[in-house]
Amino acid sequence: MSTFPIYRPRRLRANENLRRLVRETALSVDDLIYPMFVVHGNDVATEISAMPGCYQYSVDRLVTAAKELATLGIPGTILFGIPASKDPLGTEAYAEDGIIQQAVRAIKDTVPDLLVITDVCLCEYTDHGHCGVIGGSNEIQNDPTLELLVKESLSHARAGADVIAPSDMMDGRVGAIRDALDENGYQNIPILAYAAKYASAFYGPFREAAESAPQFGDRRSYQMDPANAEEALREVALDIQEGADILMVKPALAYLDVIHRVKTEFQMPVAAYNVSGEYAMIKAAAQNGWVDEERVALEALTSIKRAGADMILTYFAKSVASSQ
Ligand code: PBG
């Protein structure tokens, strides 16, 4: 046996105060963004079956929910809209009185300090459910889609959105949106780019919530292949060049390595989306009594921060905030 002192890691695990002092990662309410779904109508709050505790709200109920977020100290929400009707070009996405435009105005009128981030995409608004314009042989057309995304972003900005978050994964959309915002006096609206967004099966419950499942094919011609990480770095680099202020990796838990690489490579603010399927898995297991929901959720969210995320979009935001 050596008589030299040896490093004994357990010394610093002996009690909670020691553990607090050496803890490297702190998850806080400051890091959280709560996603919400908004529908037409009055006094509507329909629970999403695969996402217990999450609702499709009409604008009036959304405002009540927004007040609750502010009371809990949650910095912001990201909004997804379900339109009254859908068409091939997703016209309600950029209608002045569209559901998101109404929702943003209503929240900004009553809870002005809550940060309102709007998801910019067409899939909730197109009858085919794809994120872009469909061409002759059913391919998703890139550049014609950009024009519509620009219109959508500008209409969100006019409604009062604080941050614009394009999630469509068309090439060049961050630059096109940045230019249009700048030309129209919205130089100060940041872009939160879904920079590395994967073609993931973890979005399943969201597509029920947002009624946005593709009616044919899948999203693999525009969202990323889950097997690729270097490509994620190229996507992020492009979005930075095009003017993105915050880079998002999505989903989060199956892509912690990507979050880490994006953070270390670019030293920019990084967001991670703890998506619907990640939420649903924990909820389902907890409902069966198989895991402790609160502990598993905190562990998962802490791992996302530890990987390098500065902020997390998560359906657990309210429960984390109320438990703190
Ligand atoms: C819109 C969009 C999606 C999500 C966020 N924005 C769905 C998709 O790309 O199919 C998924 C969010 C979640 O699963 O929680 N394009």
Side-chain angles (χ1 to χ4, degrees):
M1 271 284 279
S2 159
T3 54
F4 291 107
I6 57 164
Y7 175 48
R8 287 179 167 269
R10 287 189 56 197
R11 282 184 195 122
L12 296 182
R13 292 179 202 145
N15 62 60
E16 179 55 13
N17 279 335
L18 275 170
R19 291 192 294 268
R20 282 170 66 203
L21 288 170
V22 299
R23 188 160 291 143
E24 299 170 34
T25 309
L27 179 75
S28 130
V29 63
D30 297 343
D31 309 321
L32 306 175
I33 297 167
Y34 184 64
M36 297 201 288
F37 303 92
V38 53
V39 290
H40 286 277
N42 238 305
D43 198 24
V44 181
T46 311
E47 192 167 24
I48 299 149
S49 61
M51 300 170 68
C54 297
Y55 297 81
Q56 293 179 332
Y57 291 119
S58 53
V59 173
D60 55 324
R61 297 289 292 264
L62 185 80
V63 168
T64 311
K67 285 182 192 151
E68 189 196 346
L69 298 184
T71 308
L72 286 168
I74 293 170
T77 180
I78 181 164
L79 298 181
F80 298 93
I82 295 103
S85 65
K86 306 189 186 215
D87 58 43
L89 297 180
T91 24
E92 289 200 29
Y94 36 91
E96 282 313 297
D97 63 344
I99 188 66
I100 284 293
Q101 292 77 358
Q102 291 181 34
V104 174
R105 279 188 218 108
I107 295 179
K108 291 277 80 172
D109 278 351
T110 26
V111 205
D113 290 340
L114 183 73
L115 204 67
V116 176
I117 306 168
T118 55
D119 182 269
V120 167
C121 197
L122 295 179
C123 62
E124 296 117 79
Y125 305 92
T126 51
D127 51 9
H128 45 73
H130 278 286
C131 306
V133 176
I134 307 292
S137 46
N138 272 355
E139 85 286 9
I140 316 302
Q141 298 191 306
N142 198 85
D143 294 6
T145 303
L146 299 186
E147 287 172 36
L148 304 184
L149 297 169
V150 161
K151 283 169 78 165
E152 183 177 2
S153 304
L154 286 175
S155 82
H156 291 179
R158 278 192 294 274
D162 296 299
V163 179
I164 301 289
S167 75
D168 52 283
M169 288 301 278
M170 296 300 124
D171 292 337
R173 90 278 203 217
V174 171
I177 293 170
R178 184 71 269 163
D179 281 352
L181 290 173
D182 291 353
E183 279 162 21
N184 288 276
Y186 300 113
Q187 295 88 342
N188 294 329
I189 295 191
I191 295 180
L192 161 56
Y194 286 71
K197 178 175 176 180
Y198 288 88
S200 171
F202 285 100
Y203 307 150
F206 174 94
R207 292 180 186 171
E208 175 205 329
E211 302 175 10
S212 66
Q215 299 304 303
F216 64 86
D218 55 44
R219 303 209 201 290
R220 280 183 265 199
S221 80
Y222 42 104
Q223 298 181 349
M224 285 183 55
D225 184 335
N228 298 353
E230 286 177 1
E231 187 190 348
L233 300 183
R234 294 195 293 273
E235 277 280 7
V236 167
L238 267 177
D239 283 5
I240 294 172
Q241 272 170 29
E242 291 178 31
D245 300 280
I246 305 170
L247 292 320
M248 193 200 293
V249 175
K250 177 181 170 203
L253 290 176
Y255 300 87
L256 294 176
D257 58 323
V258 179
I259 295 172
H260 187 255
R261 288 177 72 171
V262 169
K263 187 62 189 175
T264 47
E265 187 94 7
F266 299 102
Q267 289 106 37
M268 293 271 294
V270 174
Y273 203 139
N274 176 226
V275 300
S276 56
E278 299 174 290
Y279 175 81
M281 287 195 302
I282 293 177
K283 280 285 185 185
Q287 281 181 353
N288 276 292
W290 295 337
V291 297
D292 177 329
E293 177 179 328
E294 186 177 340
R295 288 188 55 205
V296 170
L298 285 176
E299 188 173 331
L301 295 171
T302 302
S303 77
I304 297 169
K305 272 217 84 181
R306 194 188 63 234
D310 298 287
M311 63 196 88
I312 308 172
L313 297 84
T314 177
Y315 305 99
F316 286 114
K318 288 201 284 188
S319 46
V320 172
S322 22
S323 73
Q324 278 191 342

